[in-house]
Amino acid sequence: MNAVVPVKWVLARMYEPDIVIVDCRFTLGKPESGRAAYEEAHIPGAIYLDLEQDLSGPVEADGSGGRHPLPDPATLAARLGRAGISNESRVVAYDDQGGAMASRLWWLMKYLGHDNVFVMDGGFKAWTEANFPVTAEQRITIPAQFLATVQHNLLSEVYDVQDVVAGTKSATLIDSREPARYRGEVEPIDPVAGHIPGAKNVLWAEGRGADGLWKSTEEQAARFEGLSVNKDDEIIVYCGSGVTATPNVMALLEAGYTNVKLYAGSWSDWVSDKENPVATGDE
């Protein structure tokens, strides 16, 4: 089954006992806005998980690990359990950021060894436009046990990327950020502009059509055709801080690529080490 499910799929299953719906709305620079939106209205029964409080670890003073470091697996597993998510749960994530925040939870669940996780197509906007029910009432969560089986093969560390840049490791680097940031023309967040040398730019948001919905498997495959990569070649995906790269990870997997990894620290981790080279312009 595909990672992305339509709102009608969620509506038909929202009250099934093993379904856990997770509201992941979050706006960078406005950290309280997502929870405030959830408290105002959300899908009935949904719980809320916060990008920075729940789905990221503490930021290091030297910037290593990036702006949204991976949470400690045991800490995240305990948080999921407190939210009522068990190893038997079917998890459906949604946001109002084009799927970026929901995809972060999707990837983290996969990283912890939980495959029964989905992203709701079109997010909260598609749900409300369909006139499906919303509520301000918050469910009473019954804690569950979630045991993590960490899948290290889904993750690339900074030394893996350094080896690719040095030519001692073979992999394709994909930069998921906006083209102007990739080229180094602007950098509104991180202290250095540009991209990792050799990386190709594939904007994460282009995984959605003009209607805001997820593109078909064939359309996703077309986005990556220009990379000249075999389906089983290693691909390392990054963005600014390891969040908006995850929709591209999901798209690549749906397009049939089998060896896709996330550089979780991403650009913000890369530039925390002044020894790491930086490129600008197109490649």
Side-chain angles (χ1 to χ4, degrees):
M1 181 174 180
N2 290 342
V4 180
V5 293
V7 292
K8 288 184 178 179
W9 187 95
V10 181
L11 180 72
R13 293 163 178 80
M14 59 189 295
Y15 294 116
E16 293 179 3
D18 65 328
I19 289 281
V20 180
I21 301 172
V22 184
D23 188 317
C24 299
R25 285 178 285 175
F26 186 91
T27 303
L28 293 174
K30 299 178 181 178
E32 302 300 324
S33 64
R35 182 172 291 278
Y38 166 79
E39 292 176 351
E40 180 180 335
H42 54 263
I43 295 175
I47 61 168
Y48 182 76
L49 291 178
D50 184 276
L51 171 66
E52 294 184 345
Q53 300 300 317
D54 302 311
L55 307 182
S56 302
V59 176
E60 299 293 337
D62 63 358
S64 61
R67 287 182 279 107
H68 294 109
L70 285 187
D72 171 71
T75 302
L76 178 58
R79 177 68 186 94
L80 296 174
R82 290 196 304 273
I85 297 173
S86 75
N87 296 91
E88 287 70 46
S89 297
R90 285 181 293 167
V91 178
V92 181
Y94 72 89
D95 59 30
D96 58 0
Q97 294 287 323
M101 311 303 164
S103 297
R104 168 78 168 204
L105 175 61
W106 170 87
W107 187 88
L108 286 171
M109 299 284 309
K110 294 278 190 179
Y111 178 61
L112 296 188
H114 190 86
D115 287 329
N116 221 349
V117 57
F118 310 95
V119 172
M120 188 177 78
D121 202 3
F124 194 63
K125 182 174 183 284
W127 182 271
T128 55
E129 286 182 347
N131 292 316
F132 291 166
V134 299
T135 184
E137 293 183 9
Q138 297 185 32
R139 66 179 284 185
I140 298 173
T141 56
I142 300 173
Q145 184 179 47
F146 185 92
L147 298 177
T149 306
V150 177
Q151 306 296 303
H152 292 288
N153 61 307
L154 302 183
L155 180 67
S156 280
E157 303 287 358
V158 63
Y159 52 78
D160 295 311
V161 181
Q162 289 168 336
D163 287 346
V164 174
V165 172
T168 58
K169 176 181 172 64
S170 178
T172 297
L173 298 173
I174 292 181
D175 185 314
S176 304
R177 298 172 301 161
E178 292 80 2
R181 289 183 71 189
Y182 165 82
R183 292 192 295 265
E185 297 166 359
V186 298
E187 183 43 68
I189 305 174
D190 294 308
V192 179
H195 61 267
I196 299 173
K200 305 300 182 182
N201 186 214
V202 183
L203 177 62
W204 73 274
E206 291 178 348
R208 294 173 288 126
D211 57 1
L213 298 178
W214 195 246
K215 288 182 177 179
S216 69
T217 300
E218 294 75 22
E219 290 171 319
Q220 298 293 4
R223 295 175 57 218
F224 303 106
E225 280 180 354
L227 298 175
S228 300
V229 179
N230 295 322
K231 291 296 178 71
D232 58 351
D233 288 347
E234 183 172 334
I235 300 173
I236 300 174
V237 188
Y238 75 92
C239 57
S241 67
V243 178
T244 57
T246 55
N248 262 348
V249 172
M250 194 162 64
L252 282 159
L253 292 172
E254 294 213 336
Y257 294 89
T258 60
N259 191 6
V260 185
K261 300 184 179 183
L262 174 70
Y263 173 25
S266 286
W267 181 248
S268 52
D269 173 61
W270 184 259
V271 298
S272 70
D273 183 347
K274 294 181 180 178
E275 298 297 317
N276 286 331
V278 169
T280 57
D282 287 315
E283 296 217 21

